[in-house]
Amino acid sequence: MKKLVFVLAAVSILFSSCEDKKKSKLSKKLENVEEKIEKVADDVEDAAEDISESLEDAADKLDEKAKEIQKNLEE
């Protein structure tokens, strides 16, 4: 009977250890996923800023062309 209790205790400890290892691995994987999501979010934000700057440049060029055309029409 004592052997059975000892074996059950050992199995319980091993099972607990395995569960802790699984939780630890899952936590590490979750951290990696969170880091990747943050990196993608930063990349998207950078791309949005680049697009915004490009649109502003294009709008400025269109404005200049419109003024040029207006000047030509007035002449």
Side-chain angles (χ1 to χ4, degrees):
M1 193 66 159
K2 287 182 182 181
K3 287 183 183 179
L4 179 61
V5 170
F6 178 75
V7 169
L8 288 174
V11 168
S12 175
I13 291 169
L14 288 173
F15 181 75
S16 177
S17 176
C18 288
E19 286 295 311
D20 290 343
K21 286 180 184 178
K22 285 181 184 177
K23 287 178 184 176
S24 176
K25 286 181 182 178
L26 288 174
S27 291
K28 287 180 185 176
K29 286 182 180 179
L30 181 60
E31 286 176 17
N32 288 339
V33 168
E34 288 173 343
E35 288 172 5
K36 289 178 182 177
I37 288 171
E38 288 175 5
K39 185 183 181 314
V40 169
D42 290 342
D43 291 347
V44 167
E45 186 177 344
D46 291 343
E49 288 175 5
D50 291 345
I51 290 170
S52 178
E53 289 174 8
S54 294
L55 288 173
E56 287 174 3
D57 290 344
D60 291 342
K61 287 179 183 177
L62 284 173
D63 192 39
E64 288 174 19
K65 286 290 184 185
K67 288 178 182 176
E68 213 176 283
I69 291 171
Q70 184 67 31
K71 216 183 235 188
N72 289 337
L73 288 175
E74 289 175 354
E75 292 177 356

